[in-house]
Amino acid sequence: MSPTTLVRALKKWWWALVALTVLGGAAGAGASLIMTPQYSATSQVFVAFDSPAGANSSELVQANNFAIQKVYSYIEVANSPRVLNAVIEELGLTDTTDELALRLNITVPPSSAVMTIEALAPNPDDAVALANAVTATFTETVLELETPTAGGTPPLRIASLADPVPDDEPATPNLLINIAIGTFAGFAVGIIWIAIAAMTDRKVYNAGDIASYSHDLKTLGSIPHARGADSFTTVADRPLSEVSESYRTIAATLGHMPGASLGVIAIAAATPRDSSAALTSNLALTFREFGANVAVIDANLRSRSISTAFKLDGPGLAECLNGSSTPAEVIQSVNGVAILPSGNTNESPAELIASSRFDQVVKTLSSLYDVVLIDSAPVLPLSDSLFAATNAATTVLAVSSGSVSAEQLRAARTSLATVNAKVLGVVLMDAPRSGADADVAAAAYRDLRPSRA
């Protein structure tokens, strides 16, 4: 997974990351509200071993060290079933020894003979009672264990340093800590989800993706995403825009590619999510700028995009294919470009495009015009574009950035290859203007400065 892929996924799914983070924090707050509050009460006991009367300093240090070493083993004694069962019986608790052990936090600081016993309970009084009971039972148990078998007194003293005092506020749950934990957990889940989405994203976003996913397809160029309404006459309406310049670059590329023929060019979208109509109409206007005599055939009898955009009603290609009209009778001129509209029909579009009359229409127009552009239906999942491509010298695929998967792009290329259509390459439509996926040529357009007198 490349950094570009991760950045793209973050830009696409940032709202999910925010939502999961907020949801995690809310879950932490909710958990705090439903959890039973636990109050804390803490007691401290001091453990000391008796040294002989008149003991020197060395013996006193030895007794102190012995107490420090011994007190750590008393943590296990305090948490032992012998102590806990006695506490449960004394207080009449329903807890098991394991459950009661979870409510106790018994610690000894390093190099210290002081043991801290923290008890948790649903209310302050119960916390105090539990701390006192554990302290008393622990003391009795240790004295019993340390009493010599031959009789006598234990060689140690255990003294309580302070009576347990409950806290005013519950020790658990801690609202802020739970919110922080929930927020972090939600953020982590969001990051993992975005990483998985990035790794499984097989969409085509830029020219590099086209080269990676389909090695035999060339990228002819990219058309930046149009600000505002997507115009079919951008080249004519905004001739100095970067979008218009991108169309001119692609037209120039088509005219100089090895094996390219500007006689008849079929332009087809890869899938219904893509659109070839804007590319077809603007390339026609560009070729017209270059001095060519251009004709456009709206062979997409399903969507009729070009005919609809230019409001070309009435008879057209469909009528030419059923024999009721001729191209000369129905062709119309828009911005100096001859357009054969789609017309109207109830017949199968695929059958009409597959007929010999379509071949005759293409040949008629190619004899009258320098360039004939055929705007066809999407390659997937339709067959119309395959018949249109067989009547063209070359074919160009139109792919919208972020709409087509790698598998769909390869399938479209394979479908055209089965009918021996000569695919020159791919034009990436609606390419991002900024960010990691932006076309470097389009990004450089902002560096242009108008000339000064």
Side-chain angles (χ1 to χ4, degrees):
M1 180 175 61
S2 66
T4 299
T5 305
L6 183 58
V7 170
R8 183 191 303 133
L10 281 170
K11 291 178 65 177
K12 182 178 181 181
W13 297 104
W14 65 267
W15 59 269
L17 178 62
V18 173
L20 287 170
T21 301
V22 173
L23 185 62
S32 298
L33 294 176
I34 63 175
M35 291 174 63
T36 302
Q38 296 289 318
Y39 290 84
S40 171
T42 302
S43 64
Q44 289 184 318
V45 294
F46 177 75
V47 179
F49 274 80
D50 291 328
S51 55
N56 56 36
S57 59
S58 176
E59 292 173 332
L60 292 175
V61 170
Q62 185 177 4
N64 183 63
N65 290 338
F66 183 70
I68 292 174
Q69 294 174 6
K70 196 73 172 179
V71 75
Y72 285 105
S73 65
Y74 292 158
I75 296 177
E76 299 295 330
V77 175
N79 284 307
S80 67
R82 179 170 177 173
V83 172
L84 298 182
N85 280 324
V87 172
I88 291 172
E89 183 178 353
E90 177 184 347
L91 299 179
L93 303 177
T94 59
D95 303 57
T96 63
T97 54
D98 291 336
E99 291 172 343
L100 182 57
L102 294 176
R103 293 169 53 189
L104 298 176
N105 182 26
I106 302 174
T107 58
V108 176
S111 303
S112 174
V114 177
M115 175 182 289
T116 300
I117 300 175
E118 180 187 17
L120 296 175
N123 61 71
D125 294 337
D126 288 347
V128 171
L130 179 59
N132 283 327
V134 171
T135 301
T137 305
F138 161 75
T139 302
E140 293 174 3
T141 303
V142 170
L143 292 177
E144 290 176 3
L145 294 174
E146 295 292 349
T147 298
T149 55
T153 59
L156 81 162
R157 290 176 289 109
I158 299 178
S160 176
L161 297 180
D163 293 331
V165 177
D167 296 331
D168 295 332
E169 298 293 331
T172 62
N174 189 306
L175 179 62
L176 294 180
I177 291 179
N178 286 346
I179 290 177
I181 293 174
T183 300
F184 178 78
F187 180 80
V189 171
I191 289 293
I192 293 173
W193 181 28
I194 288 176
I196 294 174
M199 289 187 293
T200 56
D201 188 0
R202 301 274 294 169
K203 295 290 183 64
V204 173
Y205 293 94
N206 52 44
D209 292 336
I210 295 174
S212 299
Y213 297 146
S214 188
H215 301 292
D216 59 340
L217 278 178
K218 296 180 179 179
T219 303
L220 304 178
S222 61
I223 307 299
H225 177 71
R227 294 187 175 95
D230 187 14
S231 174
F232 282 44
T233 56
T234 299
V235 172
D237 299 337
R238 301 192 298 275
L240 299 181
S241 68
E242 64 178 287
V243 177
S244 297
E245 291 297 341
S246 298
Y247 282 120
R248 294 187 183 100
T249 300
I250 293 170
T253 302
L254 287 173
H256 292 84
M257 285 192 67
S261 174
L262 291 184
V264 181
I265 303 175
I267 300 179
T271 71
R273 293 181 178 180
D274 309 300
S275 175
S276 60
L279 175 61
T280 302
S281 59
N282 280 291
L283 281 181
L285 292 172
T286 302
F287 285 127
R288 184 73 183 88
E289 278 187 354
F290 292 168
N293 199 12
V294 185
V296 172
I297 302 175
D298 186 359
N300 191 345
L301 301 181
R302 300 173 188 268
S303 68
R304 305 176 66 251
S305 298
I306 291 180
S307 300
T308 302
F310 294 115
K311 299 180 180 179
L312 303 178
D313 298 323
L317 176 62
E319 285 73 19
C320 293
L321 298 182
N322 62 28
S324 61
S325 299
T326 64
E329 294 173 340
V330 298
I331 205 163
Q332 302 184 46
S333 179
V334 178
N335 292 331
V337 175
I339 298 181
L340 179 60
S342 59
N344 301 283
T345 183
N346 293 324
E347 299 182 52
S348 168
E351 292 181 8
L352 290 174
I353 301 298
S355 67
S356 59
R357 286 179 177 173
F358 180 74
D359 179 56
Q360 188 59 45
V361 168
V362 173
K363 288 181 178 179
T364 299
L365 294 181
S366 63
S367 66
L368 299 174
Y369 297 90
D370 300 321
V371 180
V372 177
L373 299 177
I374 304 174
D375 186 65
S376 65
V379 177
L380 300 178
L382 307 173
S383 60
D384 310 20
S385 57
L386 302 182
F387 296 116
T390 57
N391 286 280
T394 53
T395 301
V396 174
L397 274 174
V399 172
S400 296
S401 176
S403 295
V404 179
S405 67
E407 292 74 18
Q408 290 173 327
L409 181 60
R410 284 196 290 263
R413 175 68 181 89
T414 302
S415 295
L416 291 169
T418 57
V419 296
N420 297 318
K422 185 176 181 180
V423 180
L424 287 181
V426 177
V427 174
L428 190 68
M429 305 295 293
D430 293 325
R433 290 174 175 264
S434 60
D437 294 317
D439 180 73
V440 292
Y445 188 84
R446 67 173 67 94
D447 296 331
L448 290 176
R449 297 291 184 270
S451 60
R452 297 182 179 180

